[in-house]
Amino acid sequence: MSNLNNIFLTDQVLDLIADSIASQGYVLLDNFLPIDLASSLLTDVEVLSRTEFKAAGIGRNKDNKLNSKIRTDSTLWLTQQTAPQMTYISVMEQLKQGVNERLFMGLSEFECHYSRYQKGDFYLRHLDAFKSQQSSTQKNRRLSSVFYLTPDWQTGDGGELCLYADQKQVNSLLKLAPLFNQCVLFLSDVFPHEVLESQIDRFSIAGWYR
Ligand code: OGA
Ligand code: MN
């Protein structure tokens, strides 16, 4: 499978990604993956979300009570446990390499999770990383990615991603419908963002490069 990945992300696409990140800090990519790979990821997430997902606000961390007021989705970290997950991770590794060659961002580890927002679920405005918060044990998140797997999204279904220029800005820079096979990348410590309340089942893969 990994040889195929060279076709998924052409030099042209990698140039566009790098140029857009350098000039505006984010990039939007339609038809990001071959349709059969996107469809197999959707099947994977639909099956796993019936049994394996955990509420994003519940876990070991002491911040989690707070989390459940901020976000109500449920998640599952991708591993190499299924073929589509393996392929997705290798595509995102290829993207990392392409961006590093062009922008010298020094991106290192990539991690990602599936998310499911059911009717009424949301994620309030937040940053994925804070400037200058870099512990010696864990490198800060540099670049965020969200890949959308919601089939047949229609106006009124909600669950749009809103990106803001800063925490106080009222109008969003970008309001993005979670359209199937669309990917957005943005600098993790620059853009506060939120997920508006969803009216339908909404699936995505959120990922971060440190
Ligand atoms: C996140 C996030 C956005 C989305 O999980 O940190 O911001 O559109 N997700 O799912
Ligand atoms: Mn986020």
Side-chain angles (χ1 to χ4, degrees), residues 71 73 75 113 115 117 123-124 126-128 141 144-148 159-162 176 178 184 186 193-196 202-208:
R71 66 188 295 187
D73 59 319
T75 62
H113 65 53
S115 287
Y117 292 74
Y123 194 160
L124 299 185
H126 65 282
L127 267 172
D128 288 341
R141 288 170 169 177
S144 300
S145 62
V146 192
F147 176 64
Y148 293 103
E160 293 94 341
L161 172 72
C162 295
L176 196 68
V184 61
F186 55 92
H193 54 282
E194 69 179 322
V195 178
L196 302 183
R202 175 198 194 267
F203 294 111
S204 59
I205 303 176
W208 301 271

Side-chain angles (χ1 to χ4, degrees), residues 14-87:
L14 292 167
D15 287 346
L16 169 76
I17 292 171
D19 288 348
S20 305
I21 290 172
S23 62
Q24 61 183 8
Y26 64 88
V27 60
L28 191 59
L29 302 154
D30 291 326
N31 297 311
F32 181 61
L33 298 179
I35 205 75
D36 56 340
L37 174 55
S39 300
S40 65
L41 285 162
L42 174 60
T43 305
D44 195 52
V45 74
E46 282 176 336
V47 169
L48 291 170
S49 69
R50 286 183 208 131
T51 53
E52 308 274 317
F53 278 40
K54 299 263 187 311
I58 294 169
R60 273 162 262 139
N61 191 310
K62 65 172 161 42
D63 293 333
N64 278 324
K65 267 211 187 97
L66 181 63
N67 281 350
S68 62
K69 289 189 189 135
I70 297 173
R71 66 188 295 187
T72 60
D73 59 319
S74 50
T75 62
L76 177 72
W77 290 98
L78 271 75
T79 61
Q80 310 274 352
Q81 65 171 315
T82 65
Q85 290 182 31
M86 225 151 72
T87 308

Side-chain angles (χ1 to χ4, degrees), residues 127-169:
L127 267 172
D128 288 341
F130 296 96
K131 285 195 180 69
S132 78
Q133 221 179 55
Q134 188 133 329
S135 82
S136 53
T137 49
Q138 199 161 50
K139 291 192 199 112
N140 214 352
R141 288 170 169 177
R142 301 285 314 281
L143 184 68
S144 300
S145 62
V146 192
F147 176 64
Y148 293 103
L149 287 168
T150 313
D152 307 321
W153 185 93
Q154 317 260 328
T155 307
D157 287 343
E160 293 94 341
L161 172 72
C162 295
L163 278 197
Y164 298 90
D166 60 57
Q167 288 285 17
K168 288 180 198 135
Q169 195 186 37

